[in-house]
């Protein structure tokens, strides 16, 4: 028979000790807690540990207090973009609405009303629900609330934006636009190498192999909540670390003229501000807007909705029409498996196949 986790005292209560620190002589500082049931004892133990970790005091806590303690405890070691996402949704959408509500009074109706008030932004609703579920479930596991009230929260259906490649008039404008050397290098590396935005901005000059005409992706540059640049010496996933060929014409006519001998410094970022510092979010936005303005000036049709991801999807399309295998395409795109690239290839297969014509040929020959 297994040994009981907690012993019952003579007075009918259960007790245990929790280590909350170290005394001046190096011994453990232990605090005794008592309760009339094991469930109550576990709850008190959790509250004490949470208080020790975060300074959080459960005696008079609101949802906002617990949410911020959760953010600091469980998201502090996540990547910059992930931390920023949770912090942004908390401070922008959740805390202004229910931050002052006592944690024990948060109901599924209250949370559903919060989501419904943002129904015109389906993607925002999805992130709000994701965040609420994690906070409430952690509070439930900590024994601070009686039940998980997020299990039946619903969000509006979101129509996925169609991923598209470059239109012919956009490709034509790339060659005609009066771009400076930095702008042309930036846009053409997106076009020719299919990099994510954060991978492109994280490139250093030393990542370009002058002999092999390749570039190596090994870090990213992301922006914090204030738009300040943060360089992370890692990629989105392990598969994101890769070496990508630079087409010879792009290398010779665009990359080399930009990397002049006077700035050839292996440790310098390829794209940076005039003072040599990493590009900030506002600086990148101005650069992108300037490029779009120059493209529109020479385009036969208006250019709208053009993003760095458009170039990445176009790169995947080019891989398909170059008969690059799924496995190699996934490797060049920095995907962990072939699932995402298969979606692109399958969509292009449908467009290439004229099913009606092939069926007509089969049946006409049989009659």
């Amino acid at each position: 028979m297994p040994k009981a986790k907690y012993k019952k005292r003579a007075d009918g209560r259960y007790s245990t000790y929790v280590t909350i620190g170290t005394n001046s002589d190096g011994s453990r500082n232990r605090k005794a807690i008592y309760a009339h049931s094991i469930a109550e004892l576990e709850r008190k133990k959790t509250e004490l540990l949470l208080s020790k970790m975060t300074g959080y005091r459960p005696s008079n806590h609101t949802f906002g207090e617990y949410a911020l303690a959760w953010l600091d405890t469980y998201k502090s070691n996540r990547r910059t973009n992930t931390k920023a996402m949770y912090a942004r949704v908390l401070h922008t959408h959740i805390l202004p609405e229910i931050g002052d509500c006592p944690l024990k009074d948060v109901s599924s109706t209250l949370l559903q009303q919060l989501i419904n008030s943002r129904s015109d932004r389906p993607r925002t609703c999805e992130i709000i629900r994701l965040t609420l579920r994690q906070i409430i479930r952690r509070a439930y596991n900590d024994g601070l609330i009686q039940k998980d009230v997020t299990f039946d929260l619903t969000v509006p259906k979101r129509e996925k934006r169609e991923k598209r490649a470059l239109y012919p008039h956009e490709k034509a404008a790339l060659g005609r636009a009066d771009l400076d050397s930095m702008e042309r290098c930036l846009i053409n590396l997106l076009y020719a190498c299919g990099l994510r935005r954060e991978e492109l901005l994280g490139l250093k000059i030393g990542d370009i192999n002058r002999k092999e005409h390749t570039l190596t992706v090994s870090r990213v540059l992301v922006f914090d909540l204030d738009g300040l640049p943060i360089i992370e010496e890692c990629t989105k996933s392990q598969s994101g670390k890769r070496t990508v060929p630079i087409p010879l014409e792009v290398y010779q006519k665009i990359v080399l003229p930009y990397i002049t001998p006077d700035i050839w410094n292996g440790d310098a970022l390829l794209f940076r501000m005039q003072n040599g510092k990493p590009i900030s979010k506002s600086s990148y936005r101005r650069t992108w807007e300037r490029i779009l303005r120059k493209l529109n000036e020479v385009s036969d049709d208006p250019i709208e909705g053009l993003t760095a991801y458009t170039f990445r999807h176009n790169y995947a399309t080019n891989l398909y029409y170059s008969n690059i295998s799924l496995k190699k395409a996934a490797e060049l795109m920095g995907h962990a498996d072939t699932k995402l690239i298969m979606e692109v290839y399958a969509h292009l297969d449908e467009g290439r196949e004229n099913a009606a014509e092939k069926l007509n040929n089969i049946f006409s020959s049989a009659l």
Side-chain angles (χ1 to χ4, degrees):
M1 185 174 180
K3 185 178 180 182
K5 187 174 182 180
Y6 303 109
K7 287 185 179 182
K8 197 170 188 179
R9 292 162 45 95
D11 61 5
R13 295 184 300 171
Y14 293 89
S15 67
T16 189
Y17 288 91
V18 177
T19 300
I20 59 174
T22 305
N23 296 316
S24 57
D25 60 358
S27 62
R28 289 185 298 171
N29 181 5
R30 304 177 73 202
K31 181 177 178 63
I33 53 176
Y34 307 90
H36 291 286
S37 68
I38 292 178
E40 184 187 4
L41 191 69
E42 289 280 9
R43 179 181 60 78
K44 287 186 174 181
K45 179 180 177 182
T46 297
E47 289 180 351
L48 187 59
L49 289 173
L50 187 61
S51 173
K52 172 179 174 290
M53 286 190 299
T54 66
Y56 167 78
R57 295 292 180 266
S59 58
N60 187 27
H61 50 271
T62 63
F63 177 86
E65 290 169 342
Y66 184 80
L68 293 175
W70 166 85
L71 181 68
D72 183 61
T73 303
Y74 296 104
K75 301 302 175 184
S76 60
N77 293 324
R78 302 297 294 273
R79 294 190 60 192
T80 301
N81 282 350
T82 303
K83 288 187 293 185
M85 180 193 75
Y86 285 113
R88 187 180 298 110
V89 75
L90 271 176
H91 291 290
T92 305
H93 300 286
I94 298 177
L95 297 186
E97 301 289 338
I98 64 171
D100 294 331
C101 179
L103 181 59
K104 61 182 178 60
D105 293 339
V106 172
S107 65
S108 58
T109 300
L110 181 66
L111 300 184
Q112 189 63 62
Q113 289 173 342
L114 168 61
I115 292 173
N116 292 348
S117 67
R118 272 79 173 167
S119 59
D120 58 329
R121 289 170 280 179
R123 177 55 182 160
T124 298
C125 290
E126 291 176 358
I127 300 174
I128 290 174
R129 181 174 66 172
L130 170 68
T131 306
L132 290 172
R133 279 181 170 174
Q134 293 187 55
I135 295 171
I136 294 297
R137 288 175 181 177
R138 179 58 61 181
Y140 174 72
N141 291 337
D142 286 343
L144 302 179
I145 55 176
Q146 297 300 312
K147 64 177 181 178
D148 176 6
V149 294
T150 64
F151 71 95
D152 60 349
L153 294 179
T154 61
V155 295
K157 185 176 180 181
R158 175 167 61 102
E159 293 185 7
K160 292 185 179 181
R161 287 185 295 178
E162 182 181 359
K163 298 174 182 177
R164 70 172 182 89
L166 293 169
Y167 296 132
H169 68 277
E170 292 171 335
K171 294 179 183 178
L174 287 179
R176 298 200 296 255
D178 184 24
L179 303 174
D180 65 31
S181 60
M182 186 277 283
E183 296 164 348
R184 190 165 295 283
C185 186
L186 185 149
I187 207 78
N188 276 275
L189 284 183
L190 287 175
Y191 179 66
C193 301
L195 304 182
R196 299 177 177 91
R197 183 189 72 176
E198 60 268 25
E199 295 172 343
L200 178 76
L201 298 182
L203 284 177
K204 292 184 177 181
I205 295 175
D207 294 326
I208 296 178
N209 188 309
R210 303 177 74 177
K211 183 178 180 181
E212 301 295 333
H213 306 151
T214 61
L215 62 82
T216 298
V217 178
S218 61
R219 79 187 64 77
V220 295
L221 185 148
V222 296
F223 304 117
D224 66 10
L225 282 175
D226 297 318
L228 298 177
I230 297 175
I231 296 176
E232 297 181 344
E233 295 295 335
C234 60
T235 53
K236 185 176 181 180
S237 64
Q238 187 60 34
S239 55
K241 294 185 177 182
R242 63 198 188 279
T243 297
V244 182
I246 305 173
L248 184 60
E249 187 170 357
V250 173
Y251 179 80
Q252 291 179 337
K253 294 183 178 180
I254 296 172
V255 177
L256 277 185
Y258 172 59
I259 310 177
T260 53
D262 57 305
I263 65 167
W264 192 271
N265 177 355
D267 199 46
L269 287 170
L270 184 60
F271 302 107
R272 55 200 183 280
M273 296 198 291
Q274 290 184 348
N275 59 9
K277 294 183 178 180
I279 290 179
S280 65
K281 190 173 185 178
S282 59
S283 178
Y284 173 80
R285 184 177 63 250
R286 289 194 298 270
T287 298
W288 192 258
E289 290 172 350
R290 189 168 62 249
I291 290 173
L292 292 182
R293 185 177 65 252
K294 291 181 179 181
L295 292 177
N296 268 299
E297 287 173 354
V298 298
S299 177
D300 296 330
D301 294 300
I303 297 177
E304 299 176 346
L306 189 64
T307 67
Y309 191 84
T310 308
F311 286 88
R312 182 166 166 78
H313 190 75
N314 189 81
Y315 181 71
T317 303
N318 287 339
L319 294 177
Y320 169 83
Y321 286 115
S322 300
N323 293 317
I324 302 293
S325 69
L326 276 170
K327 182 178 180 182
K328 187 62 179 178
E331 177 187 321
L332 291 172
M333 293 285 290
H335 290 316
D337 52 48
T338 61
K339 181 180 178 181
L340 292 176
I341 200 71
M342 278 180 67
E343 293 178 4
V344 177
Y345 274 34
H347 176 72
L348 294 172
D349 279 338
E350 289 177 8
R352 176 182 272 183
E353 252 185 44
N354 189 332
E357 181 180 338
K358 291 183 177 181
L359 289 171
N360 284 336
N361 289 338
I362 290 174
F363 284 99
S364 64
S365 61
L367 296 177

